[in-house]
């Protein structure tokens, strides 16, 4: 799909509508060369919460942030010489690079599931490239299917499955590759293959040299490849389902269980709002070096299941 393509005026109008919807925090089905993505503003945690809700994921997986080129990717992630080499060889194309997050990146914590790494990709599709350029910010997009179902490769698949939950689908024809992107983590001078996909191992290794597998972490030193799979865990112990905090602990509230107003996940009791705030609040609370982080009970319905899953992991970490 890298061949030049003239975009007619009707399609231009649909691209403009997609950009308006994304700017309003709504979700848009977007064509890429791999599979259709369920796109949302990667800088807006409420839009990201809506993605998780629409997909019905029981836990928060980190999402891929799509950008228009390497320069835009470097606003969000730290690219080592090896990462730059891979990006130059395969972008735009079916390769996702997981790199350390840039300090002043705009992508929100929820899109990265609270990790200190970020997955970035430059998709090779003229319509989505055009959306990315006009939108001007990263677009988070997992495959546009309900969790557990096959990834969609036509606009019709997306409309059938998610039609009621999204503003629109931008029809860019059937996907050329039909398989998700390959995911490679580059945290220093080694590259680790995290997911096989639309690029073969041999193609990637021709550029990167031998790829590590996630289980090679034992052999590694400080920037261990296994680190990319580890979730952010607060330094302070996390205590769940309590409604008050004492002796230097901080309370993260929910609904009527008050905390410092800066730490109420959702005063109105919305799990969507709570999801949007969760990772940022854990980080902010941890930064105050409390003796513990106490979290009020959060209901388990809808996105609450993923919130509770993440909190249980944090309390065990
Ligand atoms: O082809 C594709 O990659 C499609 C299109 C829409 O671009 N997107 C896609 O996204 O397949 P998704 O969310 O279904 O898959 C994202 C993959 C997951 O395996 C996730 O665990 C991994 O990327 N990932 C994202 N961020 C990561 C991170 N910081 N560390 C490790 N893995 C990460
Ligand atoms: Mg998927």
């Amino acid at each position: 799909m890298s061949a030049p393509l003239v975009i007619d005026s009707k399609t231009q109008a649909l691209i403009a509508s997609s950009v308006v919807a994304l700017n309003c925090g709504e979700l848009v089905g977007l064509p890429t060369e791999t599979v259709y993505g369920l796109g949302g503003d990667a800088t807006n945690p409420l839009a990201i919460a809506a993605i998780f809700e629409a997909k019905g994921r029981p836990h928060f997986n980190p999402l891929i942030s799509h950008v228009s080129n390497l320069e835009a990717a470097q606003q969000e992630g730290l690219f080592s010489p090896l990462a730059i080499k891979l990006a130059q060889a395969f972008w735009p194309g079916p390769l996702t690079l997981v790199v350390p997050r840039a300090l002043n990146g705009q992508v929100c914590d929820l899109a990265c599931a609270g990790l200190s790494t970020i997955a970035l990709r430059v998709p090779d599709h003229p319509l989505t490239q055009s959306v990315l350029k006009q939108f001007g910010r990263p677009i988070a997009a997992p495959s546009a299917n309900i969790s557990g179902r096959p990834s969609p490769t036509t606009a019709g698949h997306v409309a059938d499955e998610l039609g009621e939950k999204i503003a629109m689908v931008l029809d860019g024809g059937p996907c050329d590759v039909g398989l998700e992107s390959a995911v490679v983590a580059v945290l220093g001078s080694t590259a680790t293959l995290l997911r096989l996909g639309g690029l073969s191992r041999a193609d990637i290794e021709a550029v990167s040299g031998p790829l590590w597998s996630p289980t090679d972490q034992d052999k590694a030193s400080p920037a261990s490849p296994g680190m990319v799979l580890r979730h952010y865990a607060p330094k302070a112990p996390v205590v769940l389902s309590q409604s008050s905090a004492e002796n230097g602990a901080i309370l993260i509230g929910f609904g009527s269980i008050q905390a410092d107003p800066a730490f109420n996940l959702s005063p109105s009791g919305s799990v969507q709002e709570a999801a949007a705030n969760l990772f940022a609040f854990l980080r902010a609370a941890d930064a105050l070096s409390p003796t513990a982080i106490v979290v009020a009970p959060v209901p388990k319905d809808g996105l609450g299941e993923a919130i509770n899953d993440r909190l249980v992991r944090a309390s065990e970490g």
Side-chain angles (χ1 to χ4, degrees):
M1 263 182 231
S2 32
L5 182 132
V6 180
I7 301 180
D8 61 36
S9 57
K10 188 173 155 230
T11 308
Q12 291 288 8
L14 292 169
I15 289 170
S17 306
S18 304
V19 172
V20 170
L22 290 166
N23 270 319
C24 294
E26 292 183 51
L27 308 184
V28 177
L30 291 171
T32 84
E33 79 284 23
T34 58
V35 300
Y36 273 75
L38 175 60
D41 180 352
T43 70
N44 175 352
L46 280 171
I48 303 305
I51 290 178
F52 286 113
E53 185 155 65
K55 282 191 67 94
R57 278 189 176 172
H59 42 80
F60 298 125
N61 290 332
L63 305 179
I64 298 170
S65 289
H66 297 70
V67 289
S68 58
N69 54 36
L70 174 58
E71 201 189 344
Q74 286 178 299
Q75 305 287 313
E76 302 298 329
L78 301 175
F79 282 66
S80 68
L82 176 59
I84 290 175
K85 202 169 146 196
L86 281 164
Q88 284 172 340
F90 296 113
W91 283 355
L95 176 71
T96 292
L97 290 171
V98 172
V99 297
R101 281 167 83 178
L103 271 184
N104 42 10
Q106 299 183 74
V107 172
C108 66
D109 276 330
L110 184 59
C112 298
L115 294 166
S116 56
T117 53
I118 183 168
L120 290 158
R121 170 164 123 74
V122 177
D124 188 11
H125 192 290
L127 303 195
T128 294
Q129 271 290 339
S130 190
V131 171
L132 281 165
K133 289 202 180 91
Q134 291 181 36
F135 185 58
R137 296 195 292 287
I139 297 175
S143 52
N145 52 281
I146 289 174
S147 201
R149 306 244 182 96
S151 295
T153 54
T154 68
H157 295 163
V158 183
D160 287 348
E161 204 157 304
L162 293 169
E164 283 156 18
K165 299 175 174 165
I166 61 183
M168 58 183 285
V169 189
L170 190 58
D171 190 347
C175 300
D176 279 354
V177 178
L179 261 186
E180 289 91 345
S181 59
V183 180
V184 173
V186 187
L187 299 187
S189 55
T190 53
T192 304
L193 182 61
L194 298 179
R195 178 175 82 182
L196 278 165
L199 266 183
S200 73
R201 175 190 280 271
D203 284 346
I204 304 168
E205 287 189 329
V207 175
S208 65
L211 286 167
W212 293 50
S213 71
T215 51
D216 289 336
Q217 59 182 292
D218 296 345
K219 295 183 237 156
S221 54
S224 156
M227 290 293 286
V228 291
L229 302 173
R230 203 165 298 159
H231 277 264
Y232 167 76
K235 287 189 228 60
V238 175
V239 181
L240 302 184
S241 298
Q242 305 280 321
S243 46
S244 63
E246 282 145 27
N247 302 328
I250 283 191
L251 176 66
I252 295 186
F254 178 86
S256 60
I257 298 182
Q258 283 300 335
D260 174 330
F263 283 119
N264 191 315
L265 288 169
S266 172
S268 68
S270 145
V271 283
Q272 189 154 339
E273 186 184 12
N277 286 327
L278 179 67
F279 290 106
F281 279 21
L282 285 174
R283 261 178 210 281
D286 207 27
L288 299 173
S289 305
T291 53
I293 299 172
V294 176
V295 189
V298 176
K300 294 193 172 65
D301 56 302
L303 278 185
E305 189 183 355
I307 294 173
N308 279 284
D309 167 81
R310 185 62 189 77
L311 285 171
V312 168
R313 286 166 199 268
S315 70
E316 287 164 352

